[in-house]
Amino acid sequence: MTEAHITIEDIQSADPQKHIKLITIAGQLDESNVDEKAQEIYTIINQNPQSLFMIFDFGKLEYMNSKSIGYLTDWYGKVTQGGGKIAIAQAKQNINDILQVVGLTQLIPIYNNIDEAKFAVLNPQ
Amino acid sequence: MEKKYLLWSIAIVVAFIPIFTWIYFLIRKDEKRKGVIFAMFFFGILTVAPLLLFQYSWKLFPQLNVFTVIPGKISNIIISSILIIAILAFMEEVFKQWLVRFADKKWLLVKSVNDSIRLSIVAALGFSFAENVYPYFFQLLGSGDYKGLIGAYFFRSLFTAGAHIFFSGIFGYYYGIGKFVTNYRDEAKWKGKKLYIARFICKIFRMPQDQAYREEKILQGLLYAGIFHSVYNSFMQYNMIIPALVVVLIGFSYLMVLLKRASGQLNLVTDISMRQESKFQKKDEEVIFELIGQWMKEKKYSDVMNACNRLLQKDPENNTVKLFKTKAQDAIQGIDIYHEATEIIGTRKQVEDKSTIGIESVKIKKPGQNLPQNFQDSEKYGKFLEEEKKKKEADPTYKLDISPGGPGI
């Protein structure tokens, strides 16, 4: 069974309506662990149905399978439906390429580092 | 003697006219390879020879005569006659398919699935031509039964030739899929098909998987061709003309739909020396193929096409990607028997495309919704970074402060 670790950090917000989370995923997301790990993200989404801003730190994510990409698309749908936003930071080149080919980068922007992702998430539309 | 030659000549000419018309209308797009078409037509004529030889062998080996052996073993007349019909029909299809396989192996004629269908059709028309000349037209001309000749001429030129086109075309379709086994097997695998029969063949005959899949497709094509041929001949044997014509019309229409598909026209022959290396690692490319296969099953055709276009920029020689793309294109355009049939009866429905990424991306492409491309160079971002740096230095556990008076957001 391959390992994947998710750490979730709350980011303080002066606006109580806005919930900002920095989600760091390290390791590999594959068939052996993706369903279990995905539930952690769904729990956050269910707990914060409105105005949820999620920054995924993929700096230590080595591999993600097709199912995890499916989950990412679903999270995007749920989060944006509630007026929130998703961004990805520090994705490795192979992950970046996969997300670009499947077209997810048109929906979820990928930034070079966490600072850029934070800035983007807070930028009003 | 001279009269005999005259009858042969007339029979050949009258038989050739409708066959030439069929070839012209079905194969005219392939006019660059006239030599190949002529060769396949000629060899198709020759496939009559093994059948005639088999029938001739009954004189020497009566135990091979199906007309006497089978009724001797099966008392039920209907079952024994259908069995005889089936054996002869399958034999005909075996010889025709052998020709296509031989010609392709020798001269590498088949470059796409549609090539395989067209060449099989030409071989079938060669066979049909030979069959029409002798015994039908020659004997009817010789007997002076001109009324019978006219009836036979139109029926055999139109419907019997159409039937041969259908049977051989279907075999050609499956032979083509079997020939480009790597791409079609990959496509089936990524769509989640288990390929049980190929795996069974692989295990029993200890064959490589690709070869097992190829043999499965060839057997499948032969089986369909033989079954439809048997059904048609059985209907004709019992004067059930309307059902026979229905079989031919539906089958022929299905074949025309297959020939219309972009995926069938795809040139899948690869020159390995010219192949460019993929810019993707195999493991990562497999992730994309899994998704594309899943999307095809979920009818997300636009998403599939868009992903294939982007993947081809990084791996331009990947025929499996091209196959997925053209299959999605066929699906979006409704090039399948159901939509073509509804178009004929005037009730054609829009093809359902459940794509999500493409649709969502159009929604968000509104002015002002996205950050400018080079926001990292902006003054605002610069100030944001400075504020962040100060706060991190002041408090090592600091993540982000977005208080109302915060970094200008």
Side-chain angles (χ1 to χ4, degrees), chain B residues 13-37:
Chain B
V13 168
V14 297
F16 188 70
I17 294 168
I19 297 296
F20 175 78
T21 310
W22 275 116
I23 292 177
Y24 178 78
F25 280 108
L26 291 175
I27 319 290
R28 67 184 185 278
K29 285 180 188 171
D30 209 15
E31 63 259 12
K32 288 175 196 166
R33 300 199 296 170
K34 287 191 179 93
V36 166
I37 291 166

Side-chain angles (χ1 to χ4, degrees), chain A residues 22-26 55-61 87-91 114:
Chain A
L22 175 63
I23 300 158
T24 303
I25 305 180
I55 301 169
F56 284 95
D57 178 3
F58 282 176
K60 291 177 184 170
L61 180 63
I88 293 170
Q90 306 184 131
I114 294 183

Side-chain angles (χ1 to χ4, degrees), chain A residues 9 66 101 106 118 122-123, chain B residues 290 310 364 371 399 409:
Chain A
E9 296 169 55
S66 58
V101 165
Q106 293 175 82
K118 285 178 185 175
L122 298 168
N123 192 54
Chain B
E290 267 178 18
R310 286 187 283 263
I364 66 171
L371 280 177
K399 293 296 174 189
I409 311 290

Side-chain angles (χ1 to χ4, degrees), chain B residues 5-152:
Chain B
Y5 286 131
L6 183 65
L7 287 176
W8 274 114
S9 305
I10 295 170
I12 288 169
V13 168
V14 297
F16 188 70
I17 294 168
I19 297 296
F20 175 78
T21 310
W22 275 116
I23 292 177
Y24 178 78
F25 280 108
L26 291 175
I27 319 290
R28 67 184 185 278
K29 285 180 188 171
D30 209 15
E31 63 259 12
K32 288 175 196 166
R33 300 199 296 170
K34 287 191 179 93
V36 166
I37 291 166
F38 175 75
M40 287 302 289
F41 178 74
F42 177 71
F43 289 131
I45 295 171
L46 295 181
T47 54
V48 169
L51 280 162
L52 289 173
L53 264 169
F54 177 64
Q55 288 177 19
Y56 181 76
S57 71
W58 297 344
K59 288 182 187 171
L60 301 169
F61 305 102
Q63 60 269 37
L64 295 176
N65 187 345
V66 294
F67 286 100
T68 53
V69 169
I70 289 173
K73 294 190 185 298
I74 298 171
S75 55
N76 187 306
I77 295 171
I78 294 174
I79 293 175
S80 66
S81 70
I82 288 175
L83 195 55
I84 292 168
I85 287 167
I87 288 171
L88 293 174
F90 268 94
M91 280 187 65
E92 216 175 282
E93 295 306 323
V94 163
F95 289 127
K96 280 191 278 179
Q97 66 87 22
W98 180 85
L99 165 65
V100 173
R101 294 177 72 173
F102 168 78
D104 182 42
K105 253 189 183 159
K106 190 114 175 102
W107 295 296
L108 298 174
L109 299 176
V110 173
K111 293 182 170 43
S112 67
V113 170
N114 279 12
D115 267 353
S116 182
I117 295 174
R118 282 194 288 261
L119 290 172
S120 300
I121 287 173
V122 173
L125 287 170
F127 181 92
S128 181
F129 165 77
E131 213 180 37
N132 285 350
V133 169
Y134 186 86
Y136 292 95
F137 297 164
F138 178 79
Q139 287 186 348
L140 285 166
L141 276 168
S143 67
D145 180 8
Y146 298 117
K147 199 175 169 189
L149 176 66
I150 290 169

